[in-house]
Amino acid sequence: MDAVKRLMKYQNYDFKKDFLSFWAVIICVNIGGYILNSSFGRRYVDMRIGMMSKGSNGVSVAGANLIPILIFIIAYCIEMYQESFPLAIGFSSTRRNFYKSVIFSNVIFSMAMAVIEAVLLKADRLIITSIGREPLLDFNYFHIVNDNILFIILSLFLAFLTCCGVFNLLGTLVYKFGYKFWIAFGILATIILNIAGLKNIIWEGGKTLLLSNNFPSYAMKALIISLMTYVLGWLIIRKVDMKSSKN
Amino acid sequence: MINILECKNLNKTFGKTNVLKDISFILEENKIYGLLGRNGVGKTTLLNLICNQVTRDSGEIKLFDEEIFENSKAMENICFIKEKDLPVEGYKIKKIFKIASILYKNWDEEYKDYLIKEFNLDVNKKYENLSRGNKSIVGAIIGLASRAKLTIFDEPSLGLDAAARYKFYNILLEDYEKNPRTIILSTHLIDEVSNLFEEIILLTEGKLMLKEDVHSLMEKAYFLNGREDNMKKVIEGKKVIHKEGFGATTILGIFDSLTREEVKMLKDNNVEVSSMPLQKLFIYLTENVDIKEGKVNGCC
């Protein structure tokens, strides 16, 4: 456990600055979003900056943070195996301990992201209302007014953890197979996109897997996907050889 | 002496190339080992296997009697400094040392600071902007300050100028005396470090050619310089690993024991007997002779 703790400390040390920089930028962008919504709102009624929903006039600036969060998760998970993993193994850590520390870090990361985003979403409603716009309240998995903040945090946490699991698996695949993975991915994507029947099956399957109207089913699906992706990631990384860096 | 590392029947293949073939040896605690071999014989692969950087096809590696694969207790006692760059593009040196201090259990922060001053290293520079020599110094500092019971340096002096190399060797020896540990040095600059080695591990074509105490090895390695006729009687049945001639004079490299009587007989016959430097011995052994079978190439 001592070795896992050291690895956690290392990942935390490495990650803290990126995490704080990310949120500093996002909050600045959000402030800009509110200013634009406020000034556009006075001149052009239809102009909205932020996340919108079909058939609703609502807007959420903080809701639009979900896309950069997703991009941050992808970069974080890929970087984990391109930089942190070889460095940790190079400094005599074991693959098992590293993987345990990755899972712990992902849980903490998802929770931290969920807490900040939930607070921003709750505040977003008040700010949007105060600038005279209609806030977006229904986020499919939770409702900003009807649900309490803990429920929103939990919903977001599960969503982020699932993303971490999926992109952690992507990180392991990219580390193990390198460019070959992207070639295979490109070929597979081309085949799927060009065969109508196959495309529909995958689209419908994805929707069934990801969309859910009730929380227990959503939570169950999120946990199963996370568990499966972390197990698959471990199977890929547990005996992988370190790649030589350039000299 | 306590055994620190035991390798048994190690095999590793990359694609169709069998890089390591049935390697077995035992390393004792608190000794400096020289890992020698020509380019591409599998030295780095062997070190990568010992440090779990690469998985083995078969065989066993035990550190203090514990299998090392995915064993954090065993791995805590190993520090491996590669000749290759660290995978840390864009990191400042102080950040690399900070990470090393977190990950190495027995890290000596004070000693690291002392080494930074000794090598006059600017820790605010980015690793990627360092010269090859300074990158080697970063590796050397990590290896020394890690205080790992088994510290492995793969080409530690790569890119270092002569002054920095000698400073590194002196510091290594000084620290080894104060804080004994097992060190494996893999290098091609054999003459420079031959006085550091206590034992030699020699690899040829992915196999262990020999593992022997440096003194006993050097006691068996001689140059004989004189007329070939005057040496013939003594060298009969001995392993001759080198031969060169200058007119009537012949220089023979012998890798075998010589008795006092034999040495006296040679001297009486005007044959000069001199010891062979380790680097020369390494060259002749890896070039010419299959010692196990006692074959002699090129002469007699």
Side-chain angles (χ1 to χ4, degrees):
Chain A
M1 203 59 201
D2 197 31
V4 181
K5 271 186 199 163
R6 282 202 303 274
L7 278 162
M8 291 278 297
K9 198 176 164 191
Y10 156 54
Q11 294 202 1
N12 194 26
Y13 169 78
D14 213 25
F15 170 70
K16 227 173 356 190
K17 202 174 135 193
D18 297 339
F19 183 82
L20 294 175
S21 309
F22 171 78
W23 277 111
V25 171
I26 290 294
I27 288 169
C28 287
V29 170
N30 285 1
I31 292 167
Y34 293 124
I35 293 167
L36 288 173
N37 271 310
S38 170
S39 50
F40 283 143
R42 287 192 191 104
R43 286 180 223 164
Y44 317 102
V45 178
D46 288 339
M47 190 83 99
R48 291 173 288 168
I49 309 287
M51 189 187 220
M52 286 156 278
S53 168
K54 267 185 195 170
S56 152
N57 286 328
V59 62
S60 169
V61 173
N65 295 345
L66 293 170
I67 300 298
I69 289 174
L70 187 70
I71 294 167
F72 188 82
I73 291 174
I74 297 171
Y76 164 65
C77 291
I78 303 275
E79 187 271 348
M80 182 74 80
Y81 290 94
Q82 296 302 313
E83 229 167 57
S84 305
F85 179 64
L87 195 62
I89 302 301
F91 284 174
S92 301
S93 302
T94 63
R95 291 163 184 77
R96 191 190 296 130
N97 284 342
F98 179 82
Y99 204 72
K100 278 183 199 167
S101 76
V102 167
I103 295 172
F104 285 137
S105 296
N106 285 0
V107 170
I108 293 167
F109 165 80
S110 303
M111 185 51 84
M113 286 284 193
V115 169
I116 296 171
E117 180 61 5
V119 170
L120 290 178
L121 283 171
K122 280 282 188 185
D124 182 82
R125 179 178 72 94
L126 304 173
I127 299 167
I128 292 285
T129 312
S130 71
I131 59 175
R133 310 298 303 248
E134 186 186 327
L136 181 69
L137 300 174
D138 190 3
F139 283 79
N140 197 30
Y141 297 107
F142 53 85
H143 192 279
I144 296 293
V145 178
N146 298 345
D147 294 320
N148 71 38
I149 194 160
L150 290 178
F151 181 82
I152 297 172
I153 289 172
L154 188 60
S155 301
L156 287 170
F157 166 72
L158 288 169
F160 295 154
L161 189 65
T162 310
C163 291
C164 281
V166 171
F167 293 114
N168 173 68
L169 176 62
L170 180 73
T172 60
L173 285 166
V174 171
Y175 185 78
K176 181 156 185 176
F177 300 108
Y179 71 93
K180 288 177 200 153
F181 169 77
W182 293 114
I183 292 172
F185 183 79
I187 292 169
L188 202 66
T190 311
I191 292 169
I192 291 168
L193 290 173
N194 286 294
I195 301 173
L198 196 59
K199 193 168 82 180
N200 288 340
I201 291 167
I202 288 174
W203 181 248
E204 290 306 318
K207 271 196 332 196
T208 316
L209 200 67
L210 298 172
L211 297 178
S212 193
N213 289 327
N214 62 75
F215 182 75
S217 141
Y218 160 69
M220 190 63 79
K221 281 177 187 176
L223 288 173
I224 289 171
I225 294 169
S226 304
L227 189 70
M228 278 171 58
T229 48
Y230 279 117
V231 169
L232 282 172
W234 170 240
L235 294 177
I236 290 163
I237 213 77
R238 72 193 179 114
K239 281 190 175 176
V240 78
D241 288 345
M242 289 301 100
K243 288 179 182 159
S244 295
S245 54
K246 67 182 169 66
N247 222 353
Chain B
M1 275 282 190
I2 299 166
N3 293 338
I4 184 167
L5 184 82
E6 186 180 356
C7 296
K8 221 188 257 179
N9 309 113
L10 284 184
N11 285 286
K12 181 67 188 175
T13 307
F14 288 116
K16 286 177 184 170
T17 317
N18 199 356
V19 183
L20 291 179
K21 299 157 199 161
D22 217 26
I23 301 264
S24 299
F25 60 84
I26 291 171
L27 302 189
E28 288 167 354
E29 204 177 22
N30 304 336
K31 268 192 171 183
I32 301 180
Y33 291 88
L35 177 63
L36 307 179
R38 306 292 286 263
N39 290 327
V41 295
K43 296 189 299 294
T44 302
T45 303
L46 176 63
L47 299 178
N48 274 323
L49 291 189
I50 291 172
C51 301
N52 263 333
Q53 311 262 317
V54 170
T55 52
R56 55 193 180 260
D57 297 340
S58 62
E60 273 179 29
I61 304 173
K62 287 182 177 176
L63 191 82
F64 290 120
D65 270 338
E66 284 200 47
E67 169 58 47
I68 61 153
F69 187 70
E70 290 303 284
N71 182 344
S72 58
K73 205 179 144 200
M75 289 304 293
E76 273 170 3
N77 292 309
I78 298 180
C79 175
F80 177 29
I81 303 302
K82 289 181 175 189
E83 63 167 310
K84 304 259 181 191
D85 285 2
L86 293 165
V88 285
E89 278 182 38
Y91 281 24
K92 280 187 178 175
I93 300 163
K94 62 180 175 188
K95 185 177 175 183
I96 298 170
F97 287 144
K98 177 71 188 169
I99 293 169
S101 76
I102 293 170
L103 292 177
Y104 285 114
K105 197 182 173 187
N106 303 317
W107 181 261
D108 190 335
E109 189 68 16
E110 224 173 90
Y111 189 52
K112 176 216 78 180
D113 292 336
Y114 162 76
L115 291 172
I116 287 170
K117 272 187 201 157
E118 275 295 306
F119 285 107
N120 202 16
L121 192 68
D122 181 359
V123 293
N124 289 312
K125 275 192 177 173
K126 281 191 175 175
Y127 183 77
E128 63 188 359
N129 295 335
L130 293 184
S131 66
R132 181 58 256 182
N134 277 338
K135 283 178 180 172
S136 293
I137 288 173
V138 172
I141 293 175
I142 293 172
L144 290 165
S146 72
R147 295 261 181 262
K149 285 180 184 162
L150 175 63
T151 309
I152 301 170
F153 293 101
D154 190 7
E155 289 294 348
S157 49
L158 205 68
L160 289 181
D161 59 50
R165 286 205 300 274
Y166 281 99
K167 186 173 264 184
F168 169 64
Y169 303 142
N170 287 336
I171 287 174
L172 180 79
L173 210 55
E174 204 180 274
D175 187 57
Y176 172 71
E177 277 165 15
K178 283 184 199 159
N179 303 286
R181 52 173 137 174
T182 306
I183 295 170
I184 303 176
L185 272 172
S186 171
T187 182
H188 290 293
L189 301 172
I190 301 167
D191 271 348
E192 279 189 8
V193 283
S194 57
N195 59 335
L196 294 180
F197 298 153
E198 288 170 73
E199 273 196 44
I200 298 289
I201 303 161
L202 184 59
L203 295 186
T204 47
E205 291 163 5
K207 288 180 188 166
L208 183 73
M209 188 180 189
L210 63 87
K211 178 185 165 287
E212 208 169 325
D213 184 69
V214 173
H215 293 295
S216 61
L217 197 65
M218 299 314 291
E219 275 170 16
K220 291 193 287 190
Y222 295 98
F223 277 127
L224 305 183
N225 187 349
R227 291 179 69 88
E228 198 174 341
D229 293 344
N230 296 342
M231 309 175 194
K232 246 183 184 170
K233 225 177 181 181
V234 174
I235 62 167
E236 232 173 41
K238 301 222 185 284
K239 288 158 194 159
V240 180
I241 55 175
H242 177 69
K243 182 186 177 184
E244 57 187 305
F246 299 99
T249 308
T250 302
I251 298 172
L252 291 184
I254 303 287
F255 186 60
D256 219 320
S257 328
L258 289 176
T259 61
R260 278 185 188 172
E261 290 74 36
E262 284 171 333
V263 173
K264 190 176 178 298
M265 196 190 291
L266 287 165
K267 282 182 177 170
D268 290 345
N269 286 317
N270 290 325
V271 175
E272 194 186 312
V273 182
S274 57
S275 56
M276 191 185 287
L278 186 61
Q279 181 143 310
K280 291 254 165 143
L281 176 64
F282 162 76
I283 293 167
Y284 301 147
L285 285 179
T286 52
E287 248 177 11
N288 288 329
V289 169
D290 184 344
I291 289 181
K292 277 182 187 167
E293 291 173 18
K295 283 179 191 167
V296 176
N297 280 356
C299 100
C300 311

